[in-house]
Amino acid sequence: MVAIGDEILSGRTKDKNIGHFAEVATLAGIDLMEVRIVPDVEARIVEAVDALRGRYDLVVTSGGIGPTHDDITADAIGVAFGLPVEEHPEAVSRLEAYYAGRDMPFTEARRRMTRTPKGARLIDNPVSTAPGFSVENVHVMAGVPHVFQAMLDNLMATIPHGRPIESRSVPCPYGEGDIGDALARIAKARDGVSIGSYPRFSEGRYTTEIVLRSRDRDKLDEAESAVRALLAEMG
Amino acid sequence: MVAIGDEILSGRTKDKNIGHFAEVATLAGIDLMEVRIVPDVEARIVEAVDALRGRYDLVVTSGGIGPTHDDITADAIGVAFGLPVEEHPEAVSRLEAYYAGRDMPFTEARRRMTRTPKGARLIDNPVSTAPGFSVENVHVMAGVPHVFQAMLDNLMATIPHGRPIESRSVPCPYGEGDIGDALARIAKARDGVSIGSYPRFSEGRYTTEIVLRSRDRDKLDEAESAVRALLAEMG
């Protein structure tokens, strides 16, 4: 995923799209492998998109597709794919109808939102009409969270999913330092199961949440039993 | 910045450190230029740290320095710099004293938290003692937000700052599409001032927050006047 926007890097806006996408992808059996947050600078967007689109099956972007001069994502995607960027006829007719229906002028700024790399597929925007778009394995969506989320729902309906990862959470009354050695031994002996531990700090002491994740339910059951047996032994 | 952790990419944990660092850096006059979120995989951490440490003055990392087997940030930083990773004597004595004072065993897992690339400088951890560390321009801190924040406060006291960026926010009752054209003209004519616009959507309509940012107060004043004059003209 590439999240685009000076406002995230300056701290003015707290990104909400990365966490949302991470959850939706995980539920759908898609592993989110890497996220980059880049400024509204064409060369930086191009670099990030190019790096990720070659490496991973799927890239989503958020931000930079509005009507103002700092919305340069469409141009950057055009550069990344070597495609001219032009008004997408279907996007133009959707926005014409949208603004006509609201008695609002279809300004040149608003027309910017119809620009896509030539041949892009549109991603529907049920909230405010101006669409996202896809070029090959790169899916370009809005930065405003409720628009991003709506576009993502439409996108997810169209892309192939993997087998979902199941996860199990085992609360542990000990700190990471108390269980780390034994947990490492359990993790080392088990392929196909990821065992993470997440410290919690409250009321002056650490406890731990142990999270096991796998696509294989049998392996997950077995690893969970091993962890629970360990905790019972320590108690 | 490099944020490290499977739990962020899976959506289980919502990152809080990126937004916090972005705010602190901006206040201190440091421009955050890029963020990467990578999994607990050594090669991915090394790649991200190497890419950013060559390009930028300063790199901070969050996550992966706890006592468990998935805490591999110290090893990854060692690989990135070609340095052996070993127990840092000062970190060992701090943690020995800390656990002795709490009558807790100084387990092998806890000893992991004293490992740093050879010659690293420690970053104090007033919350739970186990320190972060710096190698050259890379500063490695915890992922637990209140520990990250405390380490960051200590780090910020030791690094040179730029001149802070000032920002002005001008509320605008029109949507981005209504002001985009005129705003683009204002932005284009002004070097050294960044003009961003951020859509707000509530009660069924878009308004806009226009944010001007600059290190030069005179330029900022002039640009803000131009934006306010534009809005007055439209009103």
Side-chain angles (χ1 to χ4, degrees), chain B:
Chain B
M1 172 167 185
V2 181
I4 298 160
D6 291 348
E7 70 279 18
I8 305 172
L9 293 170
S10 73
R12 261 199 74 258
T13 296
K14 296 287 180 286
D15 171 80
K16 295 194 175 74
N17 297 325
I18 296 170
H20 179 77
F21 179 66
E23 276 185 76
V24 169
T26 299
L27 284 171
I30 294 167
D31 288 334
L32 176 56
M33 300 302 291
E34 184 172 347
V35 179
R36 299 192 185 185
I37 309 176
V38 297
D40 299 313
V41 174
E42 184 176 285
R44 289 282 161 273
I45 302 171
V46 173
E47 183 200 20
V49 168
D50 271 344
L52 302 191
R53 77 188 177 93
R55 179 180 292 175
Y56 305 114
D57 296 334
L58 178 82
V59 177
V60 305
T61 77
S62 64
I65 61 168
T68 62
H69 62 97
D70 55 351
D71 291 307
I72 58 171
T73 301
D75 295 290
I77 303 296
V79 170
F81 284 96
L83 290 170
V85 174
E86 47 192 44
E87 293 186 353
H88 190 294
E90 170 64 19
V92 171
S93 47
R94 289 187 196 176
L95 281 181
E96 264 172 359
Y98 176 81
Y99 291 113
R102 281 170 172 65
D103 223 9
M104 290 162 77
F106 191 27
T107 59
E108 197 173 320
R110 290 186 174 124
R111 286 193 87 94
R112 276 181 65 81
M113 297 191 287
T114 68
R115 296 172 72 249
T116 71
K118 196 178 169 70
R121 288 127 30 225
L122 298 183
I123 302 173
D124 291 348
N125 170 0
V127 178
S128 50
T129 305
F133 60 85
S134 304
V135 180
E136 295 182 16
N137 62 338
V138 177
H139 307 281
V140 174
M141 295 182 282
V144 177
H146 68 292
V147 181
F148 177 85
Q149 290 165 20
M151 287 183 176
L152 182 61
D153 289 342
N154 287 327
L155 175 67
M156 293 304 286
T158 69
I159 58 180
H161 299 182
R163 195 200 304 184
I165 297 175
E166 281 191 65
S167 68
R168 305 277 167 79
S169 175
V170 180
C172 162
Y174 313 109
E176 280 193 310
D178 289 307
I179 53 149
D181 296 340
L183 213 57
R185 282 192 294 275
I186 292 178
K188 209 167 175 179
R190 280 159 184 85
D191 270 344
V193 181
S194 138
I195 304 185
S197 59
Y198 306 101
R200 299 270 171 267
F201 185 81
S202 65
E203 296 170 22
R205 61 190 290 270
Y206 279 98
T207 59
T208 307
E209 187 179 358
I210 301 168
V211 176
L212 302 93
R213 309 173 76 236
S214 180
R215 294 212 155 83
D216 182 321
R217 182 173 298 179
D218 292 340
K219 286 186 180 174
L220 195 59
D221 287 340
E222 193 279 329
E224 184 185 353
S225 304
V227 170
R228 291 193 183 275
L230 165 69
L231 295 180
E233 234 171 70
M234 293 174 70

Side-chain angles (χ1 to χ4, degrees), chain A residues 153-223:
Chain A
D153 290 342
N154 286 327
L155 174 67
M156 293 303 286
T158 70
I159 57 180
H161 299 180
R163 194 199 306 183
I165 296 175
E166 279 190 68
S167 68
R168 305 277 167 78
S169 175
V170 181
C172 163
Y174 314 109
E176 280 193 310
D178 289 307
I179 53 148
D181 296 340
L183 213 55
R185 281 192 295 275
I186 292 178
K188 209 168 175 178
R190 279 159 185 84
D191 269 344
V193 181
S194 137
I195 304 185
S197 60
Y198 305 102
R200 300 269 171 264
F201 186 81
S202 64
E203 296 170 22
R205 61 190 291 270
Y206 280 97
T207 59
T208 307
E209 187 180 358
I210 300 169
V211 177
L212 302 93
R213 308 172 79 235
S214 180
R215 293 211 155 84
D216 181 321
R217 183 174 296 180
D218 292 340
K219 287 186 177 173
L220 196 58
D221 287 341
E222 193 280 327

Side-chain angles (χ1 to χ4, degrees), chain A residues 65-121:
Chain A
I65 61 168
T68 62
H69 62 96
D70 55 352
D71 291 306
I72 58 172
T73 301
D75 294 291
I77 302 296
V79 170
F81 283 96
L83 290 170
V85 174
E86 48 192 44
E87 294 186 353
H88 190 294
E90 169 64 20
V92 171
S93 46
R94 289 187 197 177
L95 282 182
E96 263 172 358
Y98 177 79
Y99 289 114
R102 280 169 173 67
D103 222 9
M104 290 162 77
F106 192 28
T107 59
E108 197 173 321
R110 290 186 173 122
R111 286 194 87 95
R112 276 180 66 80
M113 295 190 288
T114 68
R115 296 172 71 249
T116 72
K118 195 178 170 72
R121 285 124 37 221

